[in-house]
Amino acid sequence: MTLQRIWTRGAIYLVLIAFCAFYLMPFYVMVITSLKPYTDVNVTRMWELPKGIYFEGILQAWTAVAPNFWNSIVITVPAVVISSLMGSVNGYIFAKWRFRGADTLFILFLVGMFLPYQGILIPLVLTLQAFGLYGKVIGLIMVHCIFGIPITALLFRSYYTGIPNELLDAAKIDGCGFFGIYRHILLPISMPAFAVVLLWQFTSIWNDYLIGLVVLGNPRLAPINVAVVNIAGSWTVEWNVQMAAALIAAMPTILVYLLLGKLFMRGLLAGALKG
Amino acid sequence: MKSLNRREFMKFAALGTSAAALAACATPTAAPGAAPAAGSTAASGAAAGGGQLEIFSWWTSGGEVEALNALYDIYSAQYPDVEIVNAALTGGAGQGGNMKALLETRMQGGQPPDSFQVHLGRELIDSHVVPGRMEDLSFLYEEEGLNDVFPQDLIDIASYEGKPYSVPVNIHRSNVLWYRPSKLEAAGVAVAPTTWDEFFAAAELLKTAGIPALAVAENEPNFSGHVFENILITQLDQAGYLGLFDGTTSWEDERVTRSLEILNQAYDYANQDYLSTSWGDINDRFVADDGPAMMIMGDWTHGVLLSKAFSDYRWAPAPDTAGMFMVLSDSFGLPNNAPDRDNAVNFLRVCGSREGQDAFNPIKGSIPARTDPDLSKYDEYLLSAMEDFKNNTLLPSIQHGAAVKQSFVLDYAIAINNLATNRDVAAAQAMLVQAATDAEFSA
Amino acid sequence: MATKSIAVPGERARAASTTPKRRWRINSDMLIAFFVLLPSILAVALFIYTAIGWTFYISTVKWNSQIIDYTFVGLRNWSRMFSDNRFYADLRNLVYYAIGFMSQCIIFGFIIASLLDQKIRGETLFRTIIIFPFAVSGIVTGVAWRWLMQPTTGINLLFAKIGLENFQPVWISHPDYGMWAVTIATSWQFTGYVMALYLAGLRGIPQELREAAAIDGAGTYATYRYIIIPLLMPVTFTAIVLTGMNSIRVFDVLASMSGSGPAFATDTLAFFMYQSTFGAYRYSLGATIGAFMILLSAFLIIPYLRSMRDEVER
């Protein structure tokens, strides 16, 4: 190891550590604020360590968000799984079954990805009402799946395009049709792509605020972010409870990421997001 | 390898379908107005004569939700079979908050709650009465004798074409000057200012002592809008002020110009970082050791400062506004086609009752709308406020939805925020004039 | 381009096997494919396209108060929007935000990924920490960074403690440049994801290529400039599209961090639309802003799709 190489390695580590400090800084503030009692919490003293560990913030936060926590689970898990499966099948079709007009159709799908959802709250409510789905959890799951159609199809299509057509030709010779190819060739090797899509969808749906609130029409049934925001009062905010609630709300996503971490990296490697 | 992956896939599918099944089971209870799963006796709640009561509000935490619960307790004591669904959501006190967005989508979707919190006055009237969504409450006022216990000025604010449409639960005062005696003393200011000339004299002394005179939080619009309305009433008389909202007083009037100039001058003595401070943090600023000496803010400040165990403060009417009481009030109305109309009407009865208001207001830190409260329940500040409420001229607040419709309040707050940022009186006044034109004020 | 097509294992096979245009022929499998796709087509048409259609329709009527009013007024709402100062402030903010956000995410994402690619000990730990913020919701990001950007007590306090008392910017409350400060918070959240994209891309570059470059005498800088960065173009393009999409739609973070800011310093089209609709009940004006946003987005998708088509046909 030459001296220059030691310096270079050292510099690399330093830079990485500096970046990490930057990325951890907000978490630091959030954690220490959660552990303070209300009387000590003040925006002018945000960097000070708590004088002891007080759990009142965390306990209060959990009581406030617990019902919505379970709401979020009930909403997010099915929506993520179903939308991922749908994306997989749709991506497969767009990648391997190019019937006439498929490309135009795909472009039309993608336009939906750019829709600013704040603007379509009212027509969304009216459409759901027409189908009797307004105010129902099933309706919300469906809305999340539909809003996820474009991006999941895009991600899977990119992934499947990288799979050589000879494999499909071979399967066809063996007598596989549409479903056979999917079940025997594509699905077994789709795990990495699923990881990518599951992570993106879980993050978007779990962190959703407005769609869940408006489609269900009731703050008590709404996803967890609504409960987190509700901790703020009209004229003043109990910051220790607020920060604790925000951390609690972020836990499941971090957990999902840790679990999917390895699969995630393999999924990207195989071209899921390279366009 | 293949079989393992298939097993994984089956696990996924099983997970998905079971979760979907769970959601499907949850579906029947998820319609708005239906019993939420957590801790409710959903099955037994459908008893005859019971039903539900769904109330929307933006009182989600702290003293506010405790006060609301006090009302609910009284209600439940009288109607134990009714299940109360407290659908509270933040973002209702300002314009364009989430609570208002949700309420709007519910109303547009034809599924109103049984009742909802709304500021008394034009906010209710322009947003909900004029489009024909609310029931006339004259019958209730008659039955409960509210016409005799509410001040006539207040009933006028609550009414449209002579009929009242909501029941005010509380009264807050907008034009209050909060000051820290220790700070004034430190600068050599003998007595809290009662006029704007005295204010500026005091501000000079404070400036020399290195203390900001006025707490301002203008990171986004609204705070200064609140301060400004309390200056408008010092330059315009009652008729002139009210005329601003029906076209009889022009927003180009020189009295409006003078009001803007006073506010503009006040910014010279505000806390240095007033453009970076948000309304939610202003109280932290006020109580800090290096905080400002005075603040013009509504009287919920009293409750907030108490909760921070802070005692270095006193109050007085905002400069030049002695004898005036700038009113804002939280109230509840009755939407058309309320799912449980009888329960809703009973709730409104509780809101208007002496017992209800005396349970709610001491906790909330406001005074009752009724003129016959049980005085023993209220603290020093509230008692003095009640006196003023009885004897002063009542004026409706702009910023808090009593005087004028929401679209104007939004434009107004933006115009004043512009003044705070650009310090240009003429430009701000032009924006106010444009806002008035957009609002189509007419008698 | 020869070098590009052998960059990734899958692509090599694809380039070799894809026939120029797949011949379209009717058979039962094609029909099945279409019918399996049909529910998604219907759902998208019903929920997304009717909503888009509704938005454009409402932008042409007179519904600007709580009283529903479908009187046709043509482009009056549009001219009103184009004459509003707030609209132009929003466009300016969009440009600032897009440049600031996209450049930070892509540049830092690339730099961090390149560093991590150097066989670092503890790579997993670094990677995990940097992608943690991605798991946090926009609202929480906004709340945490609002505190950090308080001019006297946030990060500025840290600066003062290490001796930089004179460097005390007002961050998000600066009337002209507040938006740039917002991008610091949002890129804090998103850079980790871009880093992951680049890391995977880097991992996909065969070692032989780098060795060949070294043998030819290329230093680190040249290797990056002529081999690695061009090979990562597809990743960069995806990153551009994803961050661009975010720039137009950003809402939650801003609403909880600074709202519209002093004199619209941090206002956006999305927030303007939301406030017009649910704050001032000017539904038609809100719909007009929404329709404009959709048109703006469409102009951004087209180049992406064109290049994607080109890539497939390569």
Side-chain angles (χ1 to χ4, degrees):
Chain A
M1 277 258 273
T2 65
L3 192 63
Q4 193 202 26
R5 192 164 147 72
I6 295 177
W7 276 114
T8 322
R9 298 293 293 177
I12 292 178
Y13 277 100
L14 263 174
V15 172
L16 282 173
I17 291 175
F19 271 117
C20 281
F22 173 67
Y23 286 101
L24 284 175
M25 182 173 58
F27 284 111
Y28 167 74
V29 173
M30 287 171 69
V31 170
I32 60 171
T33 309
S34 313
L35 296 172
K36 291 180 181 168
Y38 178 53
T39 43
D40 279 357
V41 174
N42 191 314
V43 69
T44 55
R45 304 199 321 250
M46 69 175 85
W47 299 105
E48 294 172 17
L49 285 169
K51 298 190 184 104
I53 301 204
Y54 295 87
F55 287 109
E56 58 179 75
I58 300 177
L59 287 172
Q60 259 185 284
W62 177 250
T63 329
V65 306
N68 299 81
F69 188 92
W70 304 117
N71 292 345
S72 274
I73 302 261
V74 166
I75 295 167
T76 311
V77 173
V80 170
V81 172
I82 295 175
S83 65
S84 303
L85 288 172
M86 279 173 70
S88 169
V89 175
N90 289 340
Y92 160 54
I93 294 174
F94 281 121
K96 298 300 178 195
W97 296 93
R98 316 280 287 286
F99 52 89
R100 191 163 64 184
D103 281 346
T104 322
L105 216 51
F106 188 57
I107 292 175
L108 289 175
F109 266 34
L110 288 192
V111 171
M113 205 162 79
F114 284 71
L115 196 65
Y117 63 87
Q118 301 89 16
I120 57 155
L121 293 175
I122 293 182
L124 183 65
V125 164
L126 295 175
T127 315
L128 285 172
Q129 272 233 303
F131 287 96
L133 290 167
Y134 178 48
K136 304 208 166 79
V137 176
I138 278 281
L140 180 59
I141 293 176
M142 219 182 73
V143 169
H144 279 306
C145 291
I146 294 174
F147 282 176
I149 288 177
I151 184 91
T152 54
L154 175 67
L155 296 177
F156 274 109
R157 180 185 185 277
S158 305
Y159 185 75
Y160 288 144
T161 317
I163 293 176
N165 287 336
E166 287 119 6
L167 282 176
L168 275 74
D169 291 338
K172 278 191 199 147
I173 291 172
D174 281 349
C176 283
F178 177 87
F179 289 109
I181 296 177
Y182 181 70
R183 232 180 82 199
H184 294 120
I185 307 289
L186 291 179
L187 206 49
I189 56 170
S190 302
M191 283 309 120
F194 267 105
V196 175
V197 171
L198 282 170
L199 181 68
W200 181 279
Q201 283 295 87
F202 192 90
T203 312
S204 327
I205 299 176
W206 182 268
N207 288 337
D208 162 59
Y209 177 86
L210 208 50
I211 297 179
L213 183 65
V214 169
V215 170
L216 290 177
N218 185 334
R220 291 273 285 261
L221 305 167
I224 190 171
N225 267 302
V226 175
V228 171
V229 172
N230 263 3
I231 289 176
S234 308
W235 311 113
T236 184
V237 183
E238 290 171 81
W239 287 111
N240 54 338
V241 183
Q242 179 83 84
M243 300 283 189
L247 288 172
I248 293 174
M251 278 301 124
T253 321
I254 293 181
L255 233 101
V256 167
Y257 178 67
L258 288 174
L259 290 174
L260 291 180
K262 284 228 178 75
L263 287 177
F264 179 48
M265 289 312 295
R266 270 170 54 205
L268 288 175
L269 178 66
L273 277 158
K274 285 176 88 162
Chain B
M1 192 57 180
K2 243 191 207 177
S3 54
L4 187 66
N5 284 320
R6 173 178 295 171
R7 228 185 287 146
E8 281 184 41
F9 171 68
M10 293 314 280
K11 249 194 288 174
F12 262 140
L15 189 66
T17 33
S18 57
L22 195 73
C25 292
T27 302
T29 61
S40 74
T41 50
S44 58
Q52 295 193 337
L53 178 68
E54 189 189 20
I55 306 285
F56 262 47
S57 72
W58 58 80
W59 289 321
T60 55
S61 69
E64 297 177 323
V65 74
E66 283 167 32
L68 186 59
N69 285 333
L71 267 182
Y72 287 154
D73 288 340
I74 296 180
Y75 183 86
S76 296
Q78 293 178 24
Y79 308 98
D81 286 340
V82 176
E83 195 213 332
I84 301 182
V85 177
N86 179 25
L89 186 67
T90 48
Q95 305 81 38
N98 297 313
M99 181 266 190
K100 292 201 173 128
L102 182 63
L103 182 64
E104 204 43 41
T105 55
R106 284 283 298 264
M107 298 293 244
Q108 295 269 353
Q111 297 196 354
D114 290 312
S115 186
F116 57 90
Q117 176 191 4
V118 64
H119 281 136
L120 194 77
R122 296 312 295 191
E123 183 180 313
L124 167 67
I125 292 172
D126 286 306
S127 307
H128 301 287
V129 176
V130 171
R133 297 175 181 176
M134 307 294 290
E135 278 195 44
D136 164 20
L137 293 179
S138 314
F139 74 94
L140 189 73
Y141 272 55
E142 288 274 334
E143 286 169 22
E144 298 289 309
L146 298 178
N147 289 312
D148 304 319
V149 284
F150 288 159
Q152 187 56 43
D153 285 348
L154 194 67
I155 301 181
D156 289 341
I157 295 178
S159 303
Y160 177 63
E161 295 178 343
K163 303 184 212 134
Y165 282 91
S166 68
V167 178
V169 180
N170 68 356
I171 302 285
H172 272 301
R173 185 179 192 177
S174 164
N175 61 319
V176 186
L177 177 77
W178 305 92
Y179 60 94
R180 298 181 60 173
S182 66
K183 296 279 175 182
L184 292 183
E185 231 181 272
V189 179
V191 106
T194 57
T195 68
W196 277 104
D197 290 334
E198 284 176 25
F199 177 86
F200 287 119
E204 274 299 322
L205 289 173
L206 285 162
K207 193 172 192 178
T208 327
I211 304 174
L214 191 66
V216 177
E218 198 63 15
N219 178 48
E220 24 172 8
N222 288 327
F223 189 94
S224 292
H226 178 110
V227 177
F228 185 63
E229 69 185 8
N230 294 314
I231 302 178
L232 273 179
I233 56 175
T234 66
Q235 302 300 309
L236 295 150
D237 60 4
Q238 184 180 22
Y241 177 73
L242 293 175
L244 286 170
F245 315 119
D246 61 16
T248 46
T249 313
S250 161
W251 282 86
E252 284 173 327
D253 194 305
E254 55 159 10
R255 293 172 290 178
V256 175
T257 319
R258 249 186 286 141
S259 309
L260 287 168
E261 283 162 2
I262 292 177
L263 181 60
N264 195 25
Q265 199 182 350
Y267 286 130
D268 289 335
Y269 303 99
N271 43 315
Q272 285 281 54
D273 57 356
Y274 71 93
L275 282 179
S276 316
T277 314
S278 66
W279 200 336
D281 291 333
I282 193 61
N283 296 300
D284 280 353
R285 278 281 181 283
F286 190 68
V287 310
D289 290 332
D290 58 352
M294 297 183 268
M295 179 162 65
I296 296 177
M297 196 21 68
D299 60 8
W300 45 83
T301 308
H302 175 58
V304 171
L305 294 177
L306 275 179
S307 75
K308 291 190 184 290
F310 185 65
S311 56
D312 174 31
Y313 70 99
R314 299 295 303 168
W315 52 85
D320 283 322
T321 65
M324 300 186 241
F325 193 109
M326 178 79 91
V327 168
L328 61 117
S329 162
D330 297 303
S331 65
F332 287 90
L334 182 65
N336 284 331
N337 304 317
D340 301 89
R341 188 176 179 279
D342 292 334
N343 293 342
V345 173
N346 290 332
F347 179 70
L348 293 178
R349 285 186 217 279
V350 173
C351 287
S353 70
R354 185 167 186 254
E355 197 195 351
Q357 299 209 348
D358 282 343
F360 179 87
N361 284 294
I363 305 177
K364 174 82 167 60
S366 47
I367 63 175
R370 291 174 69 109
T371 47
D372 61 347
D374 175 356
L375 297 174
S376 63
K377 299 201 169 150
Y378 296 88
D379 71 19
E380 186 196 350
Y381 168 73
L382 295 175
L383 288 173
S384 77
M386 277 192 268
E387 269 306 301
D388 288 344
F389 182 59
K390 243 191 240 162
N391 302 320
N392 290 359
T393 321
L394 300 185
L395 296 160
S397 159
I398 302 176
Q399 186 63 44
H400 303 276
V404 69
K405 62 180 160 188
Q406 289 295 284
S407 56
F408 180 80
V409 179
L410 183 65
D411 294 338
Y412 161 90
I414 288 175
I416 304 297
N417 175 273
N418 199 285
L419 177 71
T421 321
N422 296 327
R423 310 293 299 275
D424 182 341
V425 169
Q429 184 154 24
M431 285 175 80
L432 287 173
V433 171
Q434 178 62 44
T437 317
D438 289 338
E440 296 173 351
F441 287 140
S442 55
Chain C
M1 287 214 294
T3 35
K4 258 200 192 173
S5 65
I6 57 169
V8 171
E11 271 195 75
R12 180 204 301 239
R14 187 189 354 140
S17 77
T18 306
T19 43
K21 264 189 165 65
R22 208 153 181 80
R23 265 199 319 187
W24 176 78
R25 47 185 213 278
I26 305 177
N27 65 5
S28 60
D29 278 338
M30 278 289 185
L31 226 49
I32 295 177
F34 179 74
F35 277 108
V36 169
L37 194 57
L38 198 56
S40 296
I41 298 175
L42 289 176
V44 169
L46 213 48
F47 282 85
I48 297 183
Y49 278 90
T50 48
I52 294 180
W54 185 92
T55 304
F56 275 90
Y57 168 60
I58 296 292
S59 76
T60 61
V61 302
K62 199 180 151 194
W63 184 10
N64 277 319
S65 73
Q66 292 288 62
I67 306 169
I68 302 181
D69 184 348
Y70 293 128
T71 323
F72 183 74
V73 289
L75 295 175
R76 201 202 305 169
N77 290 309
W78 288 84
S79 77
R80 176 162 172 190
M81 177 180 78
F82 285 126
S83 61
D84 193 331
N85 280 334
R86 189 170 180 179
F87 177 73
Y88 293 104
D90 291 347
L91 285 183
R92 172 203 70 182
N93 287 345
L94 176 64
V95 172
Y96 285 176
Y97 183 86
I99 296 176
F101 177 66
M102 291 166 75
S103 60
Q104 280 177 77
C105 285
I106 292 175
I107 294 175
F108 288 140
F110 178 72
I111 290 177
I112 298 175
S114 305
L115 292 177
L116 284 178
D117 193 38
Q118 309 292 324
K119 299 199 185 51
I120 302 287
R121 286 217 324 237
E123 177 200 314
T124 315
L125 180 65
F126 283 124
R127 216 177 59 211
T128 311
I129 290 179
I130 294 176
I131 204 167
F132 258 6
F134 184 64
V136 172
S137 77
I139 294 178
V140 173
T141 307
V143 164
W145 277 92
R146 174 144 69 89
W147 268 38
L148 290 174
M149 289 190 162
Q150 288 282 319
T152 46
T153 59
I155 311 179
N156 286 354
L157 193 59
L158 289 185
F159 286 156
K161 286 217 173 113
I162 60 172
L164 288 170
E165 291 100 15
N166 292 326
F167 181 67
Q168 304 272 296
V170 281
W171 304 107
I172 52 183
S173 28
H174 193 290
D176 299 313
Y177 302 119
M179 208 57 173
W180 296 104
V182 174
T183 64
I184 297 178
T186 48
S187 66
W188 168 84
Q189 193 195 22
F190 203 71
T191 302
Y193 199 75
V194 177
M195 169 208 76
L197 295 183
Y198 274 120
L199 195 54
L202 283 167
R203 294 277 152 84
I205 296 178
Q207 198 54 25
E208 305 93 55
L209 272 180
R210 296 196 214 215
E211 283 162 8
I215 290 174
D216 281 350
T220 324
Y221 171 70
T223 315
Y224 270 90
R225 177 143 175 242
Y226 295 111
I227 307 227
I228 295 185
I229 293 182
L231 282 177
L232 290 177
M233 265 305 153
V235 181
T236 306
F237 207 87
T238 306
I240 288 177
V241 171
L242 288 178
T243 50
M245 189 176 100
N246 178 299
S247 303
I248 296 183
R249 291 174 17 158
V250 64
F251 182 77
D252 283 347
V253 183
L254 269 165
S256 58
M257 187 149 107
S258 58
S260 53
F264 303 137
T266 58
D267 196 32
T268 56
L269 289 172
F271 197 69
F272 184 18
M273 176 174 68
Y274 186 71
Q275 254 194 346
S276 299
T277 311
F278 295 110
Y281 303 117
R282 293 184 173 126
Y283 292 95
S284 279
L285 184 62
T288 313
I289 301 170
F292 178 80
M293 286 171 72
I294 294 171
L295 288 175
L296 191 65
S297 308
F299 279 125
L300 291 177
I301 307 181
I302 293 173
Y304 174 72
L305 294 173
R306 249 202 228 129
S307 104
M308 210 176 63
R309 269 242 203 102
D310 292 341
E311 200 179 304
V312 165
E313 276 153 28
R314 231 177 332 108

